[in-house]
Each structure stands twice: as C-alpha cells, then as structure tokens.
Amino acid sequence: MNKTTLEIYANNQPTVMERLMQVSRYRGFSISQLQMQQISQTQLQISLSVSSVQPIENLSRQLLKIVDVVTVSIVKS
Amino acid sequence: MLESNTVVGNIVPETARDNDQQRRYSGAQIVLQVLQRQGVTSIFGYPGGAIMPIYDALYDSDIKHYLCRHEQGVAFAAVGYARASRKTGVCMATSGPGATNLITGLADAYADSIPLVAITGQVPTTAMGTDSFQEVDIISLAMAATKHCFQVTCINDLQTVLEQAFAIAASGRQGPVLVDIPKDIQLASTQILPAQKTQISAIPQFSAAAMDTANTLLQAARKPVLYVGGGVGMADAVEELRAFAKLTAMPSVSTLKGLGALEPECDWFLGMLGMHGLKAANLAVQECDLLLAVGARFDDRVTGKLAEFAPHAKVIHLDIDAAEINKRRNADAALIGDLKVILPALMSDLAIKSWRQHCAAMKVEFAFDYNYPGEEIYAPAILKALSDITPKTAILTTDVGQHQMWAVQHMVFSRPENFLSSGAIGTMGFGLPAAIGAQVSRPDALVITVTGDGSIMMNIQELATLKRYQIPIKIVLVDNARLGMVRQWQELFFQERYSEIDLSDNPDFVALAAAFDIKAQRITKKSEVDAALAEMMTHPGPYLLQISIDEYSNVWPLVPPDTANHKMIEASS
C-alpha cells in the first residue's frame, strides 16, 4: 500500500468536498487524513492523505476532473 | 502540479440582447429562455409537483416537449436525441421519485460520455432538509452518475448555472450535468442578462516529445493495429480517423461504441474485438506489435484477461481524458488532446503490406457462416438480412443482451451517430426510448431498434409515447422467451442451473402492440423472414416485428471471463 498526500485547491462550492470523498472511495483509495480550510471567500485548500495499491496518478488525474477542483499536487509519497 | 487550466470559452452563442432588459422573468421562464438561447428545440420530460412552475411556463413556450411515460424513458430519449444529433440532450423531471428515476439514464450517459442537461424540480428552499413530501437529496444521489451537479438556491444564480451546465456537458470528455431547482426559485423573479461567456477547462495539448515518441513507435511497428473507441465519434473526428486509416492502411478493430467510425467495407477492418468480438479482430490484436488506441479505454469487455491482452504490443494511447492514460494498460506514448488535431499530426505511410494481407485473409477465413439447417429463424441471419436492406442513413438502436451482440456482429454501421447502444454500463431498457429520442432529432431518418423480450419489457410503457406522437420506429423484437445472455452464461459457467431466466409467460407482444395502435406481426419460420422485413420497412408508421427464435441459441464466439482473447469458445461443447 502506497501512502501519499495530495494538496488540492478547489472552488468553495457546496458539493466539492463530497465529490472528493466519493471519487477517492470509488477509485479504490482509502483516506487516512483530511484537512480543509477556507482560504478566501471563493477558495478551499485541502490536504488529503490516501493509501492504495494503485499509482497515485490514477487518483490525482480523476480528482482534477472534478469541475470545482483547480489544482492537485502530489506533495508526499 | 496538475492544473485545471481554464480559459474563457465562447460556449454560448451571442444572441440578440433582450430589448426589455428591465423586464423581470420568473425562474421558470428563465429556464426556458436559456434553453432557447442554447438552441434547444425539443426536450423530454415528465411533470410533477415541484416542477410545476416550469411546466406552466412551458405552456407558452415554442420548445417542443415530449412526454414519455416514465422518467427513465425521459432520460434515455434525451440520450438518444443527443447521440443521433450530436447536440446536448435535455430532460426534466420533478423532485423525489421523478428525479431518482432519471439516475439510470444519467449513469448511462456518464459512462458513455453523452452530453445531457437534466433539470429537476426540488421542494422549496424553506422545506429542504426537513424530509418534506417528495424530497430526495438528488445532488448526493446523482453525484456518482454525472459530470457535475448544481443546486440553485438563489434566483440570481439561475441563468449562470444553466449556462455553465450546457458548457460543462459539451466540453472536453462530454457528460451529463444535473441542475436541481427548488420550487420557490422557479417562482422567484429577476432580470435576464445577456448570455454570459462561460469558463470551461481548456482542452489539453499533447507535447511534441510525446508525438515524436509515438511517430517512432509507429514507424518501427511491423504488425500495428488501430483500436478505435467511442471517443472518435464524440470528438467529431470520424473524417480525420478515416483519412488516417486510409493513408496508413493499418488493420483496424473497434469497440462497440466505436462502430461506425471506420468504413466497414475496408478489407482490413476486422470488426469488433473483445468478449463477443470477431475472431479475426481478437487474433490480430493478440498478435500485433503495436496497438494504437484512439478514444478507447481498454474496458474489461474489450481486453478479457488484462495481463494477456495484446501481449506483444507497445501502446500509443490517444484520448482527451488524461485520466484514461495508464488506467488499465500502460502507454508507451500518450497523446492527450483533441483527436481532430492529433490524428492528422500522426499520419504517415507504413510498410506493413504482408501484415495487412495476413489480417485481410483472416477476415475472410473467419467470416460468419449464415447457413443454418432447419426451418427455425437464425438470429444472426435475420440481422444480416436486415442490415443488407437498411439504408446507410438509418439509425439503429439496441437494447442489451444476446440480440445486442448479434446486432454488432452481423450488422454494419456507417457512422457512430447512426448506431446507439448502451455500451459502458449495458442498460437493458435503453433501446426503445433512445430510438424515440433519435427519431425526434432526425425526423426524416429511418429508425430501427433491435431489442429482446427481456429488455423491451423494461421500458415497455414507451409504446404509449410512440402512439401519442406517431413516431414511426421499427421495433425488431428477437424473442427467445428467455433472458438469453444470462441463460447462456448459466449453460456455460453455472452447470445449466437455469435460475430465473424463463420469460415464456411474456405477454402476447402482437396484441400488446395492437393495444397501442401499433401494427405488429410475429414470425417463427425462416421462410417468413423476407416478406416480414419488407412489410416492416415499407410500413409508414411504427411497427413491431416479433421474431421467435430457439431458446437455446447462443452468441458465438465468446471469450470466457478472465481469459485471454485468443482463447475464445466458438461453439457449444
């Protein structure tokens, strides 16, 4: 199992956190830590630590497709 | 860092500014105004309590609304409309069960990348979150079945949200978007603004280095195969693909959703690959040294046992969705972007004459045999006969099951928008409502749906929609009085323990059609086929042709689950 942390910037929209969780679960990644902070009126900064047997790019690319996700960075692996 | 690169895209055509911008419109009127500005002329829906203001506004609208008889039929009709017209389909339903009934259609559209905008009514904002009558959290339920969901909680957001919904549905890898509108927002009023420019994600651009790698791989290949998926049709890149295929003269195969992208008459187009793929197609892929995947995603029904799929091949993967790269099969070169741009840039002459001849010879050697003893109707032969008399401009839809596989094996398709089938999630009940939507979008086209006796019962209520609008669809019902594909698997893989597949107590389909004023006949013998097909094709209105076949008919070839594609079963043991 590979553990990785993703740093995500997202638009502050009601559905974005739920979608992050849903996509992570569906794509086979379990979440070990999650931190979210509203950094402006319109933006969220999210730190998401996940583990899976799959390459992290399989998740980061899927998360980037979420309409309200702006950037996804792999910060620790 | 991965970045969702945004640009200002002029998605919404600039329309004439409203003369009376000071006039206030209800939310319901704004919905219809935005639809008109988006060029929507036909929508599919079913009214109910929480969407009544929109239906009231519809009463005065020029938009043509088609009332289906179940919200699942509504969603599939919008899918059929979108696929046959290459436009965004629009469907509407009320809150609660109306909205939940859309979800199978949304999931189907999401998996097959079909642009839809689904508008649902919701209980008033003051009642939301209180478990009020017909309240369902549709945002949460639809999240896994849509590209994006919006819930509008302020009237001033409504126009922008709807414009964004259309932009998102049609951009990049297309898909369905749901907009949930509470009843009080539909009743509130505001001004309409000029159409806004909508921000969408930029189409990714492939790198020059990746193109160099791809070209090198292509030139080095001695046994390349072109593996075509549904992305070609979605990208409107059929002409570019055909030009590429003509110049390179690569042997080619197709997924179910890619059928129609390549010209079927070509000697080295080997047909569909995969679980029920053609033998020549599967053998060529297993033997190839380069697989050029174009808008395809290495689906499990295509690859069979993934570790043994195309075992000698390098892979070049072309797709607009970066998340498809290395998802199932690692690519030696990945070109992410618009196929209309990538394919011309990749074009080159290839020295593969002997490989091409080998593949063309396999196509001839392993061609289907339509000689079938006895008087019974042989499903592959009747579908081949149907294909032979069907004009190239016709639209064919299917349901899901044995008839679907026989259709893709034995019929030819001239364009992707002329062949509509539920590919990725295999939804029984798709065929009839999708055919309705297709006929609405292209009223002059001949529309045929090939269905089974299990599938048609899943949305049989849509016969009432045929009757109401006199939609002249031809329904070819391949009837084995069984859930045939499940029965086949029980025969092959579950020791003939036939569990819950007997449909021999189905209704009399001819009488059922008659109850909806639809002309119908049932045939049981080979000798009746030609006359029955001719009668169906020349009948001016809707028609149902019930074809009774042997309940033990199987689809061959078949690659058993978790097996390499060259180890196909070709006949019953």
Side-chain angles (χ1 to χ4, degrees), chain A residues 18-19 61 65 70 72-73, chain B residues 1-2 4 140 146 321 325:
Chain A
E18 193 173 345
R19 251 193 201 269
R61 286 172 172 167
K65 290 198 308 184
V70 181
V72 178
S73 305
Chain B
M1 183 173 72
L2 299 172
S4 176
S140 199
T146 55
D321 183 357
I325 308 301

Side-chain angles (χ1 to χ4, degrees), chain B residues 162-180:
Chain B
L162 286 163
E163 288 167 355
Q164 285 180 338
F166 276 91
I168 293 167
S171 66
R173 182 171 178 173
Q174 300 167 55
V177 178
L178 182 134
V179 182
D180 194 40

Side-chain angles (χ1 to χ4, degrees), chain B residues 325-380:
Chain B
I325 308 301
N326 300 340
K327 187 181 86 174
R328 297 254 307 150
R329 171 76 178 248
N330 284 344
D332 298 279
L335 297 170
I336 303 162
D338 184 353
L339 297 178
K340 283 177 87 72
V341 177
I342 300 172
L343 283 166
L346 194 57
M347 202 128 63
S348 59
D349 278 321
L350 301 178
I352 53 168
K353 188 177 176 187
S354 61
W355 168 241
R356 189 183 306 133
Q357 287 173 337
H358 170 65
C359 289
M362 281 203 294
K363 181 176 181 177
V364 173
E365 182 181 355
F366 302 127
F368 288 109
D369 179 6
Y370 294 99
N371 290 318
Y372 188 72
E375 272 308 297
E376 285 190 337
I377 297 172
Y378 181 46

Side-chain angles (χ1 to χ4, degrees), chain A residues 58-70:
Chain A
N58 283 11
L59 180 62
S60 60
R61 286 172 172 167
Q62 294 290 350
L63 294 180
L64 194 65
K65 290 198 308 184
I66 297 172
V67 168
D68 285 314
V69 168
V70 181

Side-chain angles (χ1 to χ4, degrees), chain B residues 157-458:
Chain B
D157 295 340
L158 179 61
Q159 179 185 341
T160 306
V161 162
L162 286 163
E163 288 167 355
Q164 285 180 338
F166 276 91
I168 293 167
S171 66
R173 182 171 178 173
Q174 300 167 55
V177 178
L178 182 134
V179 182
D180 194 40
I181 311 175
K183 193 172 184 179
D184 55 326
I185 303 296
Q186 299 170 40
L187 292 167
S189 67
T190 190
Q191 294 168 2
I192 293 186
L193 303 170
Q196 303 293 303
K197 290 183 176 177
T198 307
Q199 287 206 322
I200 54 161
S201 295
I203 292 174
Q205 299 295 320
F206 60 88
S207 69
M211 180 57 78
D212 286 347
T213 308
N215 267 317
T216 304
L217 290 170
L218 201 52
Q219 289 301 325
R222 292 295 164 264
K223 298 179 177 179
V225 167
L226 181 60
Y227 155 41
V228 174
V232 173
M234 300 315 299
D236 194 20
V238 170
E239 300 313 323
E240 287 78 4
L241 180 81
R242 289 182 177 184
F244 179 88
K246 190 172 179 185
L247 181 75
T248 61
M250 280 171 74
S252 50
V253 299
S254 174
T255 68
L256 182 141
K257 193 160 172 268
L259 290 169
L262 286 165
E263 284 155 303
E265 300 84 5
C266 174
D267 288 343
W268 43 88
F269 172 62
L270 307 176
M272 190 177 79
L273 80 164
M275 180 174 276
H276 289 294
L278 279 69
K279 186 173 180 179
N282 277 336
L283 291 183
V285 170
Q286 291 303 90
E287 199 178 333
C288 76
D289 64 1
L290 178 79
L291 199 56
L292 177 57
V294 185
R297 59 191 178 84
F298 295 88
D299 171 64
D300 59 288
R301 282 295 192 269
V302 160
T303 63
K305 189 174 186 178
L306 187 60
E308 296 178 25
F309 176 68
H312 315 296
K314 303 266 189 190
V315 170
I316 304 173
H317 197 167
L318 280 52
D319 209 290
I320 198 164
D321 183 357
E324 289 300 338
I325 308 301
N326 300 340
K327 187 181 86 174
R328 297 254 307 150
R329 171 76 178 248
N330 284 344
D332 298 279
L335 297 170
I336 303 162
D338 184 353
L339 297 178
K340 283 177 87 72
V341 177
I342 300 172
L343 283 166
L346 194 57
M347 202 128 63
S348 59
D349 278 321
L350 301 178
I352 53 168
K353 188 177 176 187
S354 61
W355 168 241
R356 189 183 306 133
Q357 287 173 337
H358 170 65
C359 289
M362 281 203 294
K363 181 176 181 177
V364 173
E365 182 181 355
F366 302 127
F368 288 109
D369 179 6
Y370 294 99
N371 290 318
Y372 188 72
E375 272 308 297
E376 285 190 337
I377 297 172
Y378 181 46
I382 194 168
L383 291 174
K384 169 80 164 56
L386 175 63
S387 187
D388 288 345
I389 60 168
T390 299
K392 280 188 170 183
T393 52
I395 301 168
L396 185 100
T397 78
T398 75
D399 261 302
V400 170
Q402 286 183 313
H403 70 273
Q404 179 193 31
M405 293 299 108
W406 283 320
V408 296
Q409 289 178 337
H410 305 289
M411 301 185 75
V412 295
F413 307 100
S414 57
R415 299 277 307 184
E417 59 268 28
N418 291 348
F419 172 56
L420 318 182
S421 190
S422 173
I425 70 166
T427 316
M428 292 172 70
F430 175 93
L432 177 56
I436 290 170
Q439 185 77 82
V440 168
S441 78
R442 287 162 56 186
D444 296 331
L446 171 67
V447 180
I448 301 169
T449 185
V450 175
T451 184
D453 56 298
S455 285
I456 197 171
M457 291 295 283
M458 290 241 181

Side-chain angles (χ1 to χ4, degrees), chain B residues 451-494:
Chain B
T451 184
D453 56 298
S455 285
I456 197 171
M457 291 295 283
M458 290 241 181
N459 271 317
I460 193 74
Q461 78 285 346
E462 298 310 330
L463 292 179
T465 312
L466 289 193
K467 177 187 175 186
R468 169 178 288 238
Y469 301 105
Q470 280 301 295
I471 297 174
I473 291 165
K474 315 306 175 202
I475 302 169
V476 176
L477 169 53
V478 181
D479 181 9
N480 55 8
R482 299 291 183 281
L483 287 171
M485 189 61 90
V486 182
R487 193 213 61 76
Q488 178 171 346
W489 276 54
Q490 288 174 348
E491 177 189 331
L492 297 173
F493 309 121
F494 291 87

